[in-house]
Amino acid sequence: MQPTFTGVSGLSATPEVAVVVDVMRAFTVAAWAFRRGAEKIVFTGTLDEALELKARNPGWPAFQDGPPVPGFDLANSPARLRSLDVAGRTVVQKTTAGTVGALAVADARLLLCASFVVAEATARVLRRARPDAVTYVVTGDGGQAEEDLACAQYIATRAVSGPTDAAPFVGRARRSDAAARLTDGVRRGWGGVHAEDVDLCLEVDTFPFAMAAAREDNHLVLRPVKSE
């Protein structure tokens, strides 16, 4: 199971098997949405598309990253998600990194979206699929995000070697620029950031499901999948 680690700009073709990683915070939020009962998550390419989709489907909450944007229900905070009722609902998500990465490899035969909270479940899906190669797409900071690379390498190691000490990988993520920005955002009182976000993003193997994306009705749709 040969791993390749790349950013979106390094993709030369659509891989057969892709794991798109966004730790802070898109795919941590996605996992928490599924834990709270969301049925599926629809990725969009633009904020306008997300709001149009929400307008056509009353009751679909929409998530985005960065500062709060009028019309959206959440600014991509896993901690703030706890105040939203998403049980049984479809969520629309548009982010700068994670959803962009997923859309870039939308035609992969197997497309998994991951963060630390679903790392082992993602590794189990890969072990079951037994692909010859896996492309890990690092999405944050233009493909240079240390927290995403650390998580991708943790999943890749677990997929091949089984039980692996998570501490060195989580330590790298905790020292990342993204973690520092979120922490600074809390100090500055930025909207859409919560003091618990970094810790929630660095929890390991919190959920027993992986998350797989596939095309449905001209959209890329993410759903939880059993990993065993």
Side-chain angles (χ1 to χ4, degrees):
M1 201 182 301
Q2 180 64 40
T4 298
F5 304 97
T6 183
V8 171
S9 63
L11 293 166
S12 58
T14 300
E16 278 286 301
V17 176
V19 178
V20 183
V21 182
D22 189 335
V23 172
M24 295 184 187
R25 297 169 285 174
F27 298 148
T28 301
V29 166
W32 272 101
F34 290 133
R35 172 62 180 83
R36 293 181 56 79
E39 178 185 357
K40 62 184 178 182
I41 297 174
V42 180
F43 294 152
T44 65
T46 68
L47 295 177
D48 286 344
E49 181 186 355
L51 291 177
E52 289 170 5
L53 192 58
K54 177 183 175 180
R56 293 199 305 270
N57 297 275
W60 285 18
F63 299 171
Q64 44 76 219
D65 58 1
V69 174
F72 284 84
D73 301 272
L74 185 76
N76 221 36
S77 163
R80 294 185 185 278
L81 176 58
R82 293 177 298 194
S83 65
L84 291 180
D85 178 13
V86 295
R89 302 169 78 181
T90 294
V91 172
V92 181
Q93 191 177 37
K94 163 66 178 86
T95 71
T96 306
T99 61
V100 171
L103 289 166
V105 291
D107 293 323
R109 177 177 58 81
L110 174 61
L111 170 52
L112 302 172
C113 295
S115 60
F116 278 111
V117 294
V118 293
E120 169 55 17
T122 304
R124 282 200 298 266
V125 170
L126 293 172
R127 289 197 296 268
R128 186 174 63 208
R130 301 179 65 183
D132 292 332
V134 180
T135 297
Y136 293 86
V137 182
V138 174
T139 61
D141 293 339
Q144 301 298 314
E146 182 65 14
E147 74 282 0
D148 292 343
L149 179 59
C151 182
Q153 291 173 337
Y154 176 62
I155 295 169
T157 302
R158 293 204 73 158
V160 173
S161 304
T164 303
D165 182 8
F169 301 93
V170 172
R172 288 165 53 193
R174 190 173 291 279
R175 296 187 297 271
S176 68
D177 290 344
R181 286 194 297 269
L182 287 177
T183 301
D184 186 55
V186 172
R187 286 197 299 266
R188 293 173 180 268
W190 292 351
V193 180
H194 191 282
E196 296 179 43
D197 280 351
V198 170
D199 286 341
L200 288 175
C201 289
L202 297 180
E203 288 184 354
V204 180
D205 303 335
T206 307
F207 305 122
F209 54 80
M211 302 186 295
R215 291 192 184 277
E216 298 180 22
D217 299 326
N218 298 317
H219 294 289
L220 186 63
V221 176
L222 187 70
R223 295 181 183 272
V225 295
K226 293 181 179 179
S227 59
E228 295 180 331

